Amino acid sequence: MELVCPAGNLPSLKAAVDNGADAVYMGFKDDTNARHFAGLNFTQRTFEKAVSYAHDKGRKVYVAINTFPQPAGFERWKAAVDQAADYGVDALILADMGVLDYASSKWPDLRLHLSVQASVTTAEGIGFYHDNFGIRRVVLPRVLSVRQVAHVITQSPVPVEVFGFGSLCVMVEGRCLLSSYATGRSPNTYGACSPASHVRWEETGDGTNTRLNGVLIDHYAEGEKAGYPTLCKGRFQVGEHTFYALEEPTSLNTLSILPELRKIGVSAIKVEGRQRSPAYVAQVTAVMRAAIDSCMENPVGYQAKSQWMRELSNVSEGSQTTLGAYHRPWQ
Amino acid sequence: MKLSIGPIQYFWERQRVLDFYQQVADCPAEIIYLGEVICSKRRLLTFEDWLAIGNELQQSGKEVILSSLTLLEAASEMASLKKLCTNQSFMVEANDISAVQILYKQKQPFVTGPSVNIYNSRSLKLLAEKGLKRWVLPVELGLETLRDLQAERPEGVETEVFALGRLPLAYSARCYTARSHNLPKDDCRFKCIEYPDGRLLKTREEQDFLVLNGIQTQSALTHQVLDQLPSLRALAVDVLRISPQSEHTMHIVEVFDAALAGDDTDPLLETLLDLLPIGACNGYLLEHAGMNLNPEAKHETPQTA
């Protein structure tokens, strides 16, 4: 199973490569990818350095151009595709049909991976993108149980990559508009969810409010650690109760089911976190590398070491982790 | 412009659904979408029931489309989708790319719902080549993009706009209605039937924010484009979709029908606002946050397509 790690900037890319990632994924400094944050991503200069660093060590580089261009901006996505292709990267991670059509026609030899943002959860869906654009791999949304992933793999025309660690989207990726309902900006149209441009932290008499375009996402009492107001991770009132109505802040962690993922034929494990620090990338990559190696060497005897679990919890949202949708009762 | 009634998003008792479509048969909307688009556990109406309702509506002069499930996870859901796509009576609304693939392979024309991401002309053209006959503008896209898409739209493809309804914003593996009752999806006890307009979610300062509808999350405010009809007409939009609510849907259809006939919009808008569960928004169409309402924009008319 290939280990695919996030590279939000050059230090993170180096951290990923140095700690054993087989491949890194990155994006340009604009809304052509779904981690469009200030201070993140690569310029022309750092991009070249990044590709060289990874390739010198025999690792692969994937470039995410996985948002959905509207007509006015389409030329910019084409330019991003061309730029990445020029640099000789190993694959593009794409979601939009128009961009896939462009990339597959203009660069027929360039590997295309289908982004989680394409929101494909079935073999038929994968077939559409395979038949029309020759995709060579698909990243599955985090809404399927392990059994459902297994079923997709048996019928998929291409290898399957799944998320193995990181912040969790609870809504099926590529079709979540919660952020644009509140702010006018969504991952699809702007490359970011719950964008910083609309975030406000408010000190009140009894703690901190976090707001997104004025909407109260959560309130933290004195001493409670305030989290970033990702819209779906707030506490809301439904009926009589105030609780994490959509999702708790938690991270996905598949360490305990790696042998199962291997058994059902998963080809690559993806770590989420291009917006996280190089320290995060180093830590998670090292743990996942050790765990995957251990699992591949001895799948039957494999155990998720408590030290690994501790190290991952330390870098997890809310300091806790979950199996998410892979585990049926979570749903 | 024609009016359509979109698929019922909520879980209603069987008789309520049957009564609803009895009324629909006599209403001015020309196009009717039928079927379960949210959750495969909702089985009070069978596939055969939907076909029967469709046949009756067709006999009343309606164009009938069968809508498909939006989020597909289980093998059984794929099997149901395949069965739906083999029906010989009605065109299918694909709400997921799987349905597009099936219908294309069967060489059948199809409609795409708002959850199929058509954001640019190249995507639209590609799907038209696969048999797309009508598409619904994804709800977060605004008039400027609509104008650009209409300017290059392929021959023989109709454009439909989500004109009224609580906005479909997200879909999950989790059932949020069940979760709000502390139940897992596999033992949901069909709680969503208790909320014929979905279950309201408020912020901690009591702002009405979202609505839980099983695995779907919706806006609490009802998106409405009644005051944008001149713009939509100028852009050659073909169909306006009214998404059913538990009450007043027929009255809402009449309001839109009157507006299309040229009646004065201001009093109609006042009437409309009283018919909505909470209130209105139209931000998406005007390139704002979806939850906003922008009355000052109602006199803008973008360049004609």
Side-chain angles (χ1 to χ4, degrees):
Chain A
M1 294 188 293
E2 179 179 287
L3 177 59
V4 182
C5 291
N9 49 43
L10 196 51
S12 288
L13 183 136
K14 290 182 177 177
V17 167
D18 292 349
N19 282 280
D22 297 305
V24 291
Y25 65 102
M26 48 197 281
F28 292 113
K29 257 192 192 311
D30 61 17
D31 54 351
T32 60
N33 74 96
R35 283 288 183 268
H36 180 213
F37 299 131
L40 207 67
N41 295 322
F42 294 79
T43 60
Q44 203 155 348
R45 194 180 49 83
T46 50
F47 196 93
E48 283 183 42
K49 281 191 184 182
V51 175
S52 298
Y53 192 91
H55 280 170
D56 283 350
K57 312 245 169 153
R59 315 304 168 85
K60 302 217 176 72
V61 175
Y62 306 148
V63 178
I65 305 173
N66 58 349
T67 51
F68 292 81
Q70 296 176 57
F74 198 80
E75 293 303 307
R76 287 196 295 107
W77 271 254
K78 285 165 71 177
V81 167
D82 292 341
Q83 191 173 22
D86 273 339
Y87 281 120
V89 302
D90 300 283
L92 300 188
I93 308 174
L94 307 178
D96 178 78
M97 248 181 257
V99 178
L100 279 157
D101 190 47
Y102 174 75
S104 59
S105 334
K106 178 95 184 278
W107 303 93
D109 294 329
L110 182 55
R111 274 184 72 103
L112 302 179
H113 291 186
L114 191 64
S115 171
V116 70
Q117 281 274 100
S119 206
V120 169
T121 57
T122 68
E124 288 285 355
I126 298 169
F128 177 86
Y129 290 94
H130 177 68
D131 291 350
N132 289 297
F133 314 114
I135 56 154
R136 307 269 280 275
R137 188 189 290 184
V138 58
V139 183
L140 291 180
R142 287 161 282 192
V143 294
L144 300 175
S145 67
V146 174
R147 201 158 140 248
Q148 289 165 346
V149 172
H151 183 74
V152 169
I153 292 174
T154 58
Q155 304 190 311
S156 171
V158 302
V160 166
E161 178 174 315
V162 301
F163 281 88
F165 184 81
S167 289
L168 199 53
C169 264
V170 270
M171 306 304 182
V172 74
E173 295 90 327
R175 293 187 272 182
C176 180
L177 314 182
L178 292 175
S179 178
S180 60
Y181 178 67
T183 69
R185 293 175 160 173
S186 73
N188 286 1
T189 61
Y190 180 75
C193 174
S194 311
S197 48
H198 288 73
V199 168
R200 209 166 81 238
W201 307 79
E202 220 174 48
E203 296 305 320
T204 69
D206 59 345
T208 308
N209 285 340
T210 55
R211 293 186 183 277
L212 192 65
N213 203 18
V215 177
L216 182 65
I217 300 303
D218 209 343
H219 172 79
Y220 299 88
E222 292 281 352
E224 231 191 320
K225 185 160 177 248
Y228 185 90
T230 303
L231 205 149
C232 60
K233 311 219 176 153
R235 278 177 288 198
F236 301 103
Q237 249 178 269
V238 180
E240 304 282 295
H241 302 290
T242 298
F243 65 113
Y244 291 107
L246 300 176
E247 171 64 326
E248 303 91 358
T250 181
S251 286
L252 178 69
N253 177 359
T254 60
L255 275 197
S256 58
I257 58 167
L258 284 182
E260 225 185 316
L261 295 180
R262 177 192 163 278
K263 188 159 143 228
I264 64 175
V266 165
S267 298
I269 301 277
K270 187 175 195 126
V271 173
E272 183 276 344
R274 279 196 285 142
Q275 74 288 2
R276 301 294 299 271
S277 67
Y280 164 96
V281 174
Q283 179 78 95
V284 176
T285 305
V287 169
M288 294 303 287
R289 176 80 277 150
I292 290 175
D293 287 348
S294 165
C295 170
M296 297 306 275
E297 201 186 298
N298 183 9
V300 174
Y302 169 85
Q303 291 252 7
K305 293 193 182 148
S306 48
Q307 187 202 342
W308 294 339
M309 298 299 270
R310 247 186 346 260
E311 283 164 1
L312 292 184
S313 280
N314 284 342
V315 291
S316 293
E317 264 196 74
S319 302
Q320 57 182 345
T321 68
T322 176
L323 278 169
Y326 290 125
H327 183 53
R328 189 79 200 183
W330 178 91
Q331 301 182 12
Chain B
M1 287 191 287
K2 293 178 273 190
L3 290 172
S4 73
I5 297 188
I8 300 168
Q9 304 282 309
Y10 310 105
F11 192 29
W12 293 351
E13 293 92 355
R14 185 190 162 80
Q15 195 55 47
R16 185 179 206 150
V17 174
L18 296 175
D19 292 343
F20 179 74
Y21 287 112
Q22 285 281 358
Q23 294 186 294
V24 163
D26 296 325
C27 84
E30 291 103 327
I31 303 165
I32 316 296
Y33 291 84
L34 303 177
E36 178 55 45
V37 300
I38 304 298
C39 180
S40 55
K41 290 179 74 175
R42 294 171 173 177
R43 288 184 213 135
L44 295 181
L45 281 99
T46 63
F47 179 55
E48 288 68 30
D49 286 329
W50 288 114
L51 286 179
I53 295 172
N55 283 324
E56 276 195 44
L57 287 172
Q58 196 173 61
Q59 271 159 45
S60 305
K62 304 295 186 203
E63 178 191 324
V64 172
I65 313 279
L66 295 181
S67 288
S68 60
L69 204 67
T70 308
L71 178 61
L72 296 150
E73 295 155 304
S76 58
E77 289 165 348
M78 270 314 283
S80 300
L81 178 63
K82 288 183 172 154
K83 184 175 171 188
L84 183 74
C85 290
T86 55
N87 98 85
Q88 298 296 317
S89 313
F90 308 112
M91 198 155 59
V92 170
E93 176 187 54
N95 287 312
D96 180 79
I97 210 73
S98 320
V100 171
Q101 176 73 341
I102 294 167
L103 294 160
Y104 168 68
K105 288 199 295 194
Q106 290 173 181
K107 302 268 176 281
Q108 275 168 272
F110 57 91
V111 178
T112 56
S115 295
V116 173
N117 289 352
I118 299 176
Y119 280 55
N120 53 68
S121 300
R122 196 152 178 160
S123 302
L124 184 58
K125 179 163 177 282
L126 203 131
L127 287 179
E129 287 162 10
K130 303 282 170 207
L132 180 74
K133 289 290 171 242
R134 185 188 298 138
W135 68 294
V136 181
L137 181 75
V139 299
E140 68 175 346
L141 300 181
L143 286 172
E144 279 183 35
T145 287
L146 179 59
R147 179 197 58 217
D148 291 340
L149 286 163
Q150 290 293 82
E152 291 189 27
R153 69 155 155 184
E155 282 271 342
V157 175
E158 282 189 322
T159 301
E160 181 166 336
V161 166
F162 188 93
L164 184 125
R166 281 180 151 160
L167 293 156
L169 297 177
Y171 300 85
S172 175
R174 264 186 161 164
C175 174
Y176 290 113
T177 311
R179 183 177 163 81
S180 74
H181 284 270
N182 222 10
L183 294 166
K185 188 165 77 173
D186 285 350
D187 183 30
C188 68
R189 305 180 202 173
F190 304 97
K191 285 292 180 188
C192 56
I193 209 164
E194 295 175 22
Y195 307 100
D197 288 305
R199 187 169 199 192
L200 188 60
L201 176 151
K202 298 184 195 223
T203 67
R204 295 178 79 164
E205 54 190 10
E206 315 245 340
Q207 177 187 2
D208 297 322
F209 186 35
L210 300 170
V211 158
L212 309 177
N213 177 34
I215 60 130
Q216 184 194 51
T217 307
Q218 301 183 323
S219 61
L221 296 175
T222 304
H223 178 80
Q224 65 75 30
V225 305
L226 192 68
D227 48 357
Q228 296 298 320
L229 294 192
S231 303
L232 295 171
R233 206 176 239 133
L235 295 182
V237 166
D238 299 288
V239 186
L240 300 176
R241 172 175 293 198
I242 311 283
S243 190
Q245 341 183 127
S246 69
E247 292 182 317
H248 311 308
T249 306
M250 295 300 102
H251 194 168
I252 289 170
V253 171
E254 279 161 31
V255 166
F256 271 84
D257 191 47
L260 287 176
D263 291 8
D264 187 13
T265 310
D266 287 340
L268 286 174
L269 189 55
E270 254 189 73
T271 305
L272 182 67
L273 294 176
D274 278 336
L275 300 173
L276 308 179
I278 287 177
C281 62
N282 65 359
Y284 274 146
L285 205 62
L286 304 168
E287 275 92 21
H288 285 259
M291 67 183 185
N292 289 347
L293 185 65
N294 297 279
E296 70 275 6
K298 82 177 167 191
H299 299 295
E300 271 177 28
T301 310
Q303 291 168 273
T304 311

